[in-house]
Amino acid sequence: KNVSACAGRANYIRSLEHVQVQLSLSYSRRGDLEISLTSPMGTRSTLVAIRPLDVSGQGYNNWIFMSTHFWDEDPQGLWTLGLENKGYYFNTGTLYRYTLLLYGTAEDMTARPSGPQVTSSACVQRDTEGLCQECHSPAYILGHLCLAYCPPRYFSHTQQAVTPGPGRSATPTLRICSSCHASCYTCRGGSPLNCTTCPPSYTLDKLRGSCSGPVPPNSTPQPTAVAQPSCHRGQAQAAVMALLAMALGSPFLCSV
């Protein structure tokens, strides 16, 4: 299936974090079936290897398999789901549905400046136990580490530097990574109204800058046996995206 990764939308993905495949299929001897996924960049990940002792004939009913082998890849292009019989030639089965879910960010992570994220050489002040207390610009301090940039769940800001010691000149400000509110994935401040993206399954209110959780299961309609296309405009750049659904041989492009 050729996917666009929601290009041009707010929930566009440029760099993958991990991928999930949700499958519904029947098979006469489940342990003989090898399942693989190949990305547009040619990376092949074995989702299910053969298992000689698995003689079940029940197949898989909405089973979810996950892979991190496609880390930082651009998901746009042709994805291939491979189903291969590794056992008896008379094995039979039917693929009823599969859904490809992509997790990632719109940022091109491969374009970030080269160099280690954690660098001890940037530390300019340590305590009596050797733990870093201050980092040289442009590094940020998080805990006792000097980082090239603040990771998700943290935001960068500056504060007045500590008083210089003997042989060390003062810097005007310290660059610090501080925690976002627990409801945010990325943010511009510590308030619950400072969110810029939300965790998977959460929705960003751009006007308020807040993230709201998923609707409780008992308040949503029960899913039917047939996949239906339903596209929602997620606001988070690092949102979970269901980009590909196939029901009884009919493909649907869907994002949630």
Side-chain angles (χ1 to χ4, degrees), residues 100-249:
L100 178 67
L101 299 113
L102 306 177
Y103 294 76
T105 176
E107 180 181 358
D108 183 359
M109 301 299 290
T110 60
R112 280 190 167 182
S114 59
Q117 180 182 357
V118 180
T119 171
S120 59
S121 61
C123 186
V124 295
Q125 182 186 4
R126 298 181 182 273
D127 61 15
T128 56
E129 297 180 355
L131 299 176
C132 189
Q133 301 296 309
E134 182 182 342
C135 299
H136 180 71
S137 180
Y140 296 90
I141 189 165
L142 174 58
H144 300 290
L145 298 175
C146 295
L147 306 180
Y149 51 85
C150 294
R153 306 283 188 182
Y154 294 88
F155 68 97
S156 60
H157 68 104
T158 59
Q159 72 178 33
Q160 190 65 37
V162 297
T163 304
R168 182 175 60 85
S169 58
T171 55
T173 55
L174 287 175
R175 294 157 65 91
I176 296 174
C177 293
S178 295
S179 296
C180 297
H181 188 267
S183 63
C184 306
Y185 183 71
T186 59
C187 67
R188 56 179 174 267
S191 164
L193 301 180
N194 289 144
C195 300
T196 54
T197 62
C198 302
S201 302
Y202 283 63
T203 302
L204 177 67
D205 184 332
K206 291 182 108 176
L207 294 178
R208 299 183 68 244
S210 61
C211 293
S212 57
V215 179
N218 57 6
S219 64
T220 59
Q222 293 299 315
T224 62
V226 179
Q228 298 291 339
S230 58
C231 295
H232 307 277
R233 294 183 177 273
Q235 301 300 317
Q237 285 191 340
V240 52
M241 276 161 279
L243 295 178
L244 173 63
M246 181 173 291
L248 300 176

